[in-house]
């Protein structure tokens, strides 16, 4: 039964505003008309808080409908997808306050309705996307100048909500305070359209994103908490403007900075000019590249095929996230049908020094298969005869829509953490669960707790042996990506932050990497020893260990070992446990024998993989990059 609203209801609905919102402010809010132009992330953020605060009249203008990409931040539900934004918001506003006056402009603002839309309006909240409707955005401000209506223009910088206030009630003002002209908006160029924003309003965290998006032309990211901050800022600023108070030209709130310590905020501010300069250079390069190449780009046959088969694309994206030694990503995925993927290895990305027989690559193929199994019901079919670089075929029987989002995020969150760990003791229930999972793939697990020093000493001894080998050291350093340009050209291997080396150390390695003579001199003066100590320095810090061993050293056995490793690692990630592979102790036969004794293993099983586990003292935000599907996949429908 619906509730019949009375005068008492209207009073009680806003009674909790009293003393935070004055009676004068409340009266002005209830008697004013506010135009919200553009009801997406920015403009739509203000609708519900304005209604709940007691707004009396709203004009809503937006030609768009909701789609699935809006769910993460806008005021819509799955049932609203495909529905008009303004009509959906109007319906929601009426369900909160049946007495509110709402008028909708389903076509958005146009030349035929903009004058009417701004008639008797007290304030305009401008949420129009300059890239989508630049001319109407300028016309909105132009008419507001003539009609003496203040305009608030909202901009979402990732984690920072910013509102630019243009109080056109002042004398002799121009649209955008003269920082923009109609000619700028007619040009349609992004750099011209955004000149009025001012460089120092950008969020420090958003600057690298701007540089990336200008280069790759992918959609701009927006998140829910920034949208909520935008709604809060807009609502309070509207109240102050209605009261004719002086309001700063820029009203902002950086959610990311607010949750950081003083030291972290200071660091961000100190590096801000450098990031700003980098973004400015990136914008100029992007503009030149757009002029030279044109705005159209060729779409490959693979891209078109993956667009037509999104579930196949999602499985492949999860497979690419599998771990591999040195992050070499040696796979080649040959697509032979919408539900069939043949797995091969790319000989150009193998590790011929530490893995001359590609046996570790068999294990990483197992990790790839298990990554696919996490999001789909699959069948792995091994080839009838063993071919060195050709593995079996994955057949996708059914895509698991119901668990996809959770398992996709689980695969993405699974990565190596080289930080200091806090103690994480295994319960008997944990040991039984992990042991049972591993046994399904023919793998034996052994657990070592509270004895990190023994494994640390062994890891250090074997690491020193390996890092003194010239070929090993050269192969390892060749997989270091020590600059952003190097990482963009070949997004495999290790970036500086993922292996916990300082900026100074990375610059030194970059010089050594390019000069063979310096490499030889550095080796003579102990480069290998220094890198070995750095590689194992956190192994003895409150670590527990899981040893994976097998009595089946065939290719099938190694693939199953990889599947068990990935399965257990994902289970640990789900519980918030941090992991780091520690392979040095089992890098030769002598080391494997010592590891057997420490873990109490029998003589039948071969130690294959050691996982250091614990609760990370810090989250590892620097995840190794991955090659794109374009670099790893091949379309060969004739092979089916």
């Amino acid at each position: 039964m619906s509730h019949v609203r009375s005068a008492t209801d209207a009073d009680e609905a806003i009674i909790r505003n009293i003393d935070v919102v004055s009676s004068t402010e409340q009266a002005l809010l209830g008697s004013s008309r506010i135009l919200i132009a553009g009801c997406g992330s920015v403009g739509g953020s203000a609708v519900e808080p304005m209604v709940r605060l007691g707004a009396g009249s709203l004009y809503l203008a937006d030609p768009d409908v909701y789609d699935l990409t809006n769910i993460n931040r806008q005021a819509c539900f799955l049932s609203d997808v495909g529905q008009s934004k303004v009509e959906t918001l109007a319906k929601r506003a009426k369900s909160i306050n049946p007495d509110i006056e709402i008028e909708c402009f389903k076509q958005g603002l146009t030349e035929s309705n903009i004058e009417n839309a701004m008639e008797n309006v007290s304030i305009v909240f401008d949420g129009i996307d300059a890239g989508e409707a630049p001319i109407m955005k300028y016309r909105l401000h132009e008419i507001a100048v003539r009609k003496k209506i203040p305009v608030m223009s909202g901009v979402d910088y990732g984690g920072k909500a910013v509102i630019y206030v243009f109080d056109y009630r002042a004398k002799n003002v121009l649209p955008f305070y003269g920082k923009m002209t109609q000619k700028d908006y007619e040009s349609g160029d992004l750099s011209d359209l955004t000149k009025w924003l001012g460089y120092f309003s950008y969020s420090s965290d958003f600057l690298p994103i701007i540089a990336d998006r200008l280069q790759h032309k992918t959609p701009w990211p927006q998140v829910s908490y920034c949208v909520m901050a935008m709604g809060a800022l807009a609502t309070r600023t509207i109240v102050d403007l209605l009261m004719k108070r002086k309001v700063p030209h820029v009203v902002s709130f950086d959610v990311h900075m607010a949750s950081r310590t003083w030291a972290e905020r200071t660091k961000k501010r100190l590096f801000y000019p450098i990031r700003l300069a980098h973004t400015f250079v990136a914008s100029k390069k992007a503009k030149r590249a757009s002029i030279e190449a044109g705005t159209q780009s060729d779409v490959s046959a693979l891209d078109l095929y993956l667009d037509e088969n999104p579930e196949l694309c999602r499985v492949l994206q999860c497979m690419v996230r599998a771990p591999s030694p040195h992050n070499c990503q040696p796979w080649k995925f040959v697509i032979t049908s919408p539900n069939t993927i043949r797995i091969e290895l790319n000989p150009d990305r193998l590790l011929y020094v530490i893995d001359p027989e590609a046996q570790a690559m068999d294990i990483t193929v197992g990790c790839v298969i298990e990554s696919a199994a996490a999001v789909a019901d699959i069948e792995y079919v091994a080839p009838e005869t063993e071919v060195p670089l050709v593995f079996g075929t994955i057949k996708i029987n059914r895509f698991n829509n119901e668990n996809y989002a959770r398992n996709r995020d689980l695969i993405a969150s699974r990565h190596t953490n080289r930080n200091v760990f806090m103690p994480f003791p295994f319960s008997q229930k944990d040991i039984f669960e992990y042991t049972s999972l591993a046994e399904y793939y023919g793998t034996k697990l052994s657990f070592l707790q509270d004895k990190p020093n023994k494994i640390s000493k062994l890891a250090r001894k074997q690491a020193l042996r390996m890092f003194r080998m010239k070929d090993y050291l050269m192969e390892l350093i060749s997989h270091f990506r020590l600059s952003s340009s190097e990482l963009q050209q070949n997004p495999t291997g290790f970036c500086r932050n993922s292996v916990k080396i300082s900026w100074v150390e990375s610059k030194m390695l970059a010089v050594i990497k390019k000069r063979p003579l310096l490499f030889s001199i550095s080796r003579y003066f102990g480069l290998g020893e220094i890198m070995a100590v750095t590689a194992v320095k956190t192994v003895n810090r409150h670590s527990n260990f899981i040893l994976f061993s097998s009595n089946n050293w065939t290719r099938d056995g190694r693939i199953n070992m990889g599947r068990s490793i990935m399965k257990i690692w994902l289970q640990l990630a789900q519980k918030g446990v941090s992991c780091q592979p520690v392979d040095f102790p089992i890098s030769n036969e002598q080391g494997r024998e010592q590891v057997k004794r420490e873990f109490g293993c029998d003589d039948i099983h071969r130690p294959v993989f050691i996982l250091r586990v614990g609760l990370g003292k810090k989250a590892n935000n620097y995840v190794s990059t991955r090659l794109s599907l374009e670099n790893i996949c091949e379309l060969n429908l004739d092979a089916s």
Side-chain angles (χ1 to χ4, degrees):
M1 183 176 176
S2 60
H3 181 70
V4 179
R5 187 174 172 88
S6 66
T8 302
D9 294 332
D11 291 337
E12 289 191 359
I14 58 172
I15 199 169
R16 301 296 283 271
N17 292 346
I18 293 173
D19 290 335
V20 175
V21 177
S22 71
S23 58
T24 304
E25 290 171 337
Q26 193 72 65
L28 282 171
L29 191 61
S31 60
S32 299
R33 175 173 292 149
I34 298 152
L35 167 64
I36 299 180
C39 295
S41 300
V42 173
S45 69
V47 175
E48 186 169 327
M50 287 301 302
V51 175
R52 293 190 183 279
L53 197 65
S57 178
L58 294 178
Y59 280 1
L60 307 178
D62 196 305
D64 284 346
V65 297
Y66 287 114
D67 62 47
L68 273 174
T69 64
N70 301 144
I71 289 289
N72 78 314
R73 66 200 185 278
Q74 295 189 30
C76 62
F77 303 110
L78 281 174
S79 58
D80 297 324
V81 171
Q83 302 299 312
S84 164
K85 289 185 177 182
V86 293
E87 289 186 336
T88 301
L89 288 171
K91 183 178 178 181
R92 192 153 301 135
K94 283 285 188 181
S95 69
I96 297 168
N97 177 9
D99 296 333
I100 191 170
E101 178 189 311
I102 298 272
E103 184 167 347
C104 297
F105 295 85
K106 281 184 62 177
Q107 293 76 34
L109 294 182
T110 65
E111 283 295 346
S112 61
N113 69 17
I114 191 168
E115 291 283 353
N116 290 334
M118 296 184 69
E119 194 66 36
N120 298 320
V121 165
S122 308
I123 292 174
V124 175
F125 186 29
D126 168 21
I128 297 174
D129 187 336
E132 295 292 329
I135 298 301
M136 292 315 300
K137 191 177 186 76
Y138 186 83
R139 286 282 289 134
L140 178 75
H141 286 254
E142 187 178 52
I143 295 170
V145 169
R146 173 160 47 85
K147 291 180 175 287
K148 301 295 182 183
I149 302 170
V151 177
M152 301 154 42
S153 288
V155 182
D156 177 344
Y157 292 126
K160 183 179 182 180
V162 181
I163 294 174
Y164 297 84
V165 179
F166 299 95
D167 195 342
Y168 294 133
R169 294 172 297 196
K171 293 181 180 180
N172 302 322
V173 289
L174 297 171
F176 294 98
Y177 285 174
K179 296 177 183 178
M180 292 292 300
T181 64
Q182 185 169 347
K183 185 178 179 181
D184 292 326
Y185 269 90
E186 288 172 348
S187 75
D189 185 81
L190 185 62
S191 59
D192 289 336
L193 295 173
T194 55
K195 285 194 300 187
W196 58 277
L197 297 176
Y199 294 120
F200 292 98
S201 295
Y202 295 136
S203 162
S204 177
D205 290 341
F206 203 60
L207 287 172
I209 296 172
I210 294 173
D212 176 79
R213 294 309 191 268
L214 288 172
Q215 180 182 355
H216 297 106
K217 309 297 183 185
T218 49
W220 295 92
Q222 294 174 298
V223 293
S224 60
Y225 52 79
C226 188
V227 170
M228 292 177 182
M230 181 72 72
L233 287 178
T235 305
R236 183 61 216 182
T237 305
I238 286 171
V239 172
D240 286 335
L241 285 173
L242 288 173
M243 291 292 292
K244 294 184 169 56
R245 297 187 180 112
K246 288 186 177 181
V247 177
H249 174 52
V250 177
V251 180
S252 66
F253 180 70
D254 193 327
V255 183
H256 293 179
M257 292 289 268
S259 62
R260 291 186 172 121
T261 63
W262 176 87
E264 289 172 326
R265 289 198 297 269
T266 302
K267 181 181 176 181
K268 287 286 183 182
R269 289 179 182 125
L270 287 173
F271 282 94
Y272 187 87
I274 298 172
R275 284 191 165 185
L276 182 61
H278 179 265
T279 305
F280 183 76
V281 171
S283 70
K284 295 300 180 184
K285 286 182 178 178
K287 188 173 181 178
R288 285 198 300 269
S290 179
I291 293 171
E292 292 170 5
T295 56
Q296 298 298 320
S297 60
D298 294 331
V299 180
S300 68
L302 175 64
D303 289 336
L304 289 172
Y305 192 80
L306 293 178
D307 284 344
E308 293 169 359
N309 298 278
E311 291 182 350
L312 172 67
C313 182
R314 292 184 182 109
V315 172
L316 287 166
Q317 287 170 340
C318 289
M319 291 166 66
V320 168
R321 299 299 308 175
S324 58
H326 289 7
N327 190 34
C328 63
Q329 304 170 59
W331 322 290
K332 181 180 178 183
F333 303 143
V334 181
I335 302 167
T336 58
S337 78
N339 62 349
T340 310
I341 305 164
R342 188 172 71 237
I343 303 176
E344 300 178 5
L345 291 182
N346 185 336
D348 296 334
R349 292 204 292 271
L350 299 182
L351 304 174
Y352 292 101
V353 176
I354 65 167
D355 188 29
E357 298 177 4
Q359 292 181 344
M361 299 306 158
D362 298 343
I363 295 172
T364 197
V365 166
C367 294
V368 165
I369 295 168
E370 194 59 34
S371 296
V375 294
D377 176 15
I378 67 162
E379 180 184 354
Y380 169 66
V381 181
E384 294 182 0
T385 57
E386 189 171 306
V387 182
L389 297 180
V390 178
F391 290 78
T393 299
I394 289 178
K395 293 185 177 179
I396 304 170
N397 298 323
R398 186 181 70 87
F399 185 77
N400 295 331
N401 282 296
E402 58 275 13
N403 295 321
Y404 164 69
R406 181 179 64 85
N407 289 343
R408 173 206 61 198
D409 292 342
L410 193 59
I411 290 169
S413 67
R414 178 231 55 85
H415 53 257
T416 298
N417 190 331
R418 293 181 174 85
N419 290 307
V420 174
F421 288 177
M422 295 181 289
F424 177 76
F426 290 109
S427 66
Q428 288 301 313
K429 181 181 177 182
D430 292 331
I431 293 173
F432 177 78
E433 177 187 351
Y434 301 145
T435 301
S436 300
L437 287 171
E439 284 177 351
Y440 179 80
Y441 295 108
T443 300
K444 180 181 178 181
L445 295 189
S446 303
F447 297 81
L448 188 66
Q449 304 189 67
D450 304 322
K451 294 182 181 179
N453 288 333
K454 291 187 177 182
I455 299 300
S456 174
K457 288 177 182 178
L458 186 55
R460 180 170 177 152
K461 177 183 176 181
Q462 296 296 345
L464 285 168
R465 178 187 65 83
M466 295 184 68
F467 276 86
R468 285 173 180 144
M469 297 164 52
K470 179 181 178 181
D471 290 346
Y472 172 79
L473 195 57
M474 288 179 67
E475 185 176 71
L476 177 66
I477 290 178
S478 72
H479 283 79
F480 276 71
R481 310 292 174 241
L482 301 167
S483 67
S484 57
S485 59
E486 194 177 15
L487 196 59
Q488 284 178 356
Q489 291 170 6
N490 190 2
T492 59
F494 311 106
C495 62
R496 175 177 71 83
N497 289 314
S498 71
V499 289
K500 310 297 291 181
I501 61 174
S502 68
W503 181 83
V504 174
E505 289 169 331
S506 72
K507 293 301 178 186
M508 292 172 63
L509 276 176
V511 174
I512 292 168
K513 182 179 177 181
K514 295 176 182 178
R515 293 168 174 80
L517 179 59
L518 274 179
F519 174 76
S520 299
I521 294 171
S522 301
R523 279 190 68 237
Y524 179 79
F525 284 101
L527 173 65
E529 287 80 354
I530 294 170
M531 292 184 69
V533 172
T534 302
V536 298
K537 65 183 178 182
T538 57
V539 173
N540 65 341
R541 303 281 189 90
H542 302 298
S543 302
N544 293 328
F545 300 92
I546 303 176
L547 173 67
F548 294 72
S549 54
S550 174
N551 60 0
N552 180 3
W553 199 239
T554 63
R555 173 184 272 190
D556 286 343
R558 293 191 293 270
I559 289 173
N560 281 331
M561 170 61 68
R563 295 195 69 171
S564 68
I565 289 170
M566 192 67 182
K567 189 77 173 179
I568 301 300
W569 204 336
L570 290 175
Q571 288 291 318
L572 291 165
Q574 188 172 19
K575 295 183 178 182
V577 180
S578 299
C579 301
Q580 178 191 3
V582 183
D583 296 332
F584 296 117
I586 54 174
S587 57
N588 64 3
E589 192 59 40
Q590 181 185 5
R592 284 192 285 272
E593 288 301 319
Q594 288 181 272
V595 165
K596 280 183 180 181
R597 289 195 294 272
E598 293 298 335
F599 280 87
C601 290
D602 56 46
D603 292 332
I604 300 173
H605 289 81
R606 172 192 174 106
V608 177
F609 188 77
I610 298 176
L611 203 59
R612 169 183 169 247
V613 298
L615 298 176
K617 205 166 185 179
K618 292 182 179 179
N620 184 16
N621 293 322
Y622 302 104
V623 182
S624 296
T625 54
R626 288 294 189 274
L627 290 161
S628 66
L629 293 183
E630 196 175 72
N631 296 121
I632 285 181
C633 295
E634 178 184 305
L635 192 61
N636 187 0
L637 301 179
D638 295 334
S640 61

